[in-house]
Amino acid sequence: DPLYPVLLRFLKICFGDNLFFAVAAVQNILSLLSVYFLTVYVTERVFGVRWLVSLIATVLTVPHLLTPLFSHTHIILTNKIMAEAIVFPIFYFFMLFLLKMIFEKDKLWKNSLITLGIALVLALIKGQMMLMILIWAIVFAFLCFINKAYKRILTVVALFILAMAARSLLCSTY
C-alpha cells in the first residue's frame, strides 16, 4: 500500500526532523475538515439548519485538535504514524461524496468521479479499503439503473475495472 509511505517521505523531505509534528498536523487537519464537512452536509440534507450544524461540528472537533496539544499523554489516533490515522478522515470524505452522488442528481458524474478518486486513494493507503471501489460501483450502477441510464452502467463497470487495475499497477510498481 504505497500512498502512506509516499506521504511520509514527502513530509520528511519538507519538514526533516519535525516529521512527527507534520504528520500529526496533516492528519488532525484532515480529521477536522472531514468531520466538519460531513456533519454540515448530512445535517443540511436532513434538518436544513446550517448555522446550528456548523456550531455543533466546530464544538465537536475543537477538543479533537486541542487534546493533542494540552493532554499529558498526547495519545490520539491522528497523532500516530500509522495508515489508519489518515484513512478515517479520508473515509469520511468518501462518505460525503457518496451521499452527494445520491442526493445531488444534477452533479452525479462530477460527484461520482470524485468519489471514485477518493476510493482509489483509500485503496492505495490500505489494501482493505479496495472495498470502497466496489461500494462506489454498486451505488453508481444502482443510481444509473433507477435513472434509466442503462448504457452508463457499462461505463461504471469500465471505471471499476480501470480503478482496480490502476490500484494493482500502482502497488506493484511501488
Side-chain angles (χ1 to χ4, degrees):
D1 306 328
L3 201 53
Y4 194 67
V6 169
L7 172 67
L8 292 177
R9 182 69 181 147
F10 174 76
L11 292 174
K12 177 76 173 163
I13 290 168
C14 293
F15 295 97
D17 292 337
N18 295 320
L19 173 67
F20 181 76
F21 176 77
V23 169
V26 166
Q27 292 174 170
N28 277 293
I29 289 168
L30 268 176
S31 292
L32 170 74
L33 293 174
S34 66
V35 167
Y36 177 79
F37 287 119
L38 182 60
T39 304
V40 168
Y41 186 78
V42 167
T43 311
E44 276 183 351
R45 279 291 183 193
V46 175
F47 300 111
V49 183
R50 183 183 176 110
W51 68 268
L52 180 60
V53 176
S54 299
L55 177 66
I56 292 169
T58 303
V59 168
L60 289 174
T61 53
V62 165
H64 176 73
L65 292 176
L66 293 181
T67 303
L69 300 174
F70 299 108
S71 159
H72 175 62
T73 60
H74 303 288
I75 297 177
I76 288 191
L77 177 64
T78 53
N79 282 359
K80 298 291 184 191
I81 296 182
M82 55 193 286
E84 289 82 0
I86 203 163
V87 162
F88 287 123
I90 296 172
F91 175 75
Y92 293 151
F93 280 118
F94 172 81
M95 289 303 301
L96 170 66
F97 282 95
L98 194 69
L99 289 171
K100 285 186 173 199
M101 278 175 54
I102 295 167
F103 290 116
E104 297 176 11
K105 293 180 184 6
D106 58 323
K107 298 178 184 174
L108 178 61
W109 277 100
K110 175 188 159 198
N111 290 328
S112 203
L113 292 175
I114 292 170
T115 307
L116 177 59
I118 295 169
L120 187 57
V121 166
L122 285 168
L124 288 170
I125 295 172
K126 289 293 285 179
Q128 298 93 328
M129 298 304 281
M130 283 177 34
L131 182 61
M132 298 307 105
I133 298 171
L134 179 60
I135 290 171
W136 166 85
I138 292 168
V139 170
F140 194 24
F142 179 74
L143 291 172
C144 289
F145 181 76
I146 64 171
N147 291 325
K148 297 184 175 142
Y150 304 116
K151 291 180 183 177
R152 289 185 179 178
I153 294 174
L154 294 175
T155 305
V156 173
V157 171
L159 286 172
F160 172 74
I161 292 169
L162 183 64
M164 296 300 272
R167 192 239 177 237
S168 296
L169 180 65
L170 289 169
C171 287
S172 67
T173 59
Y174 166 67

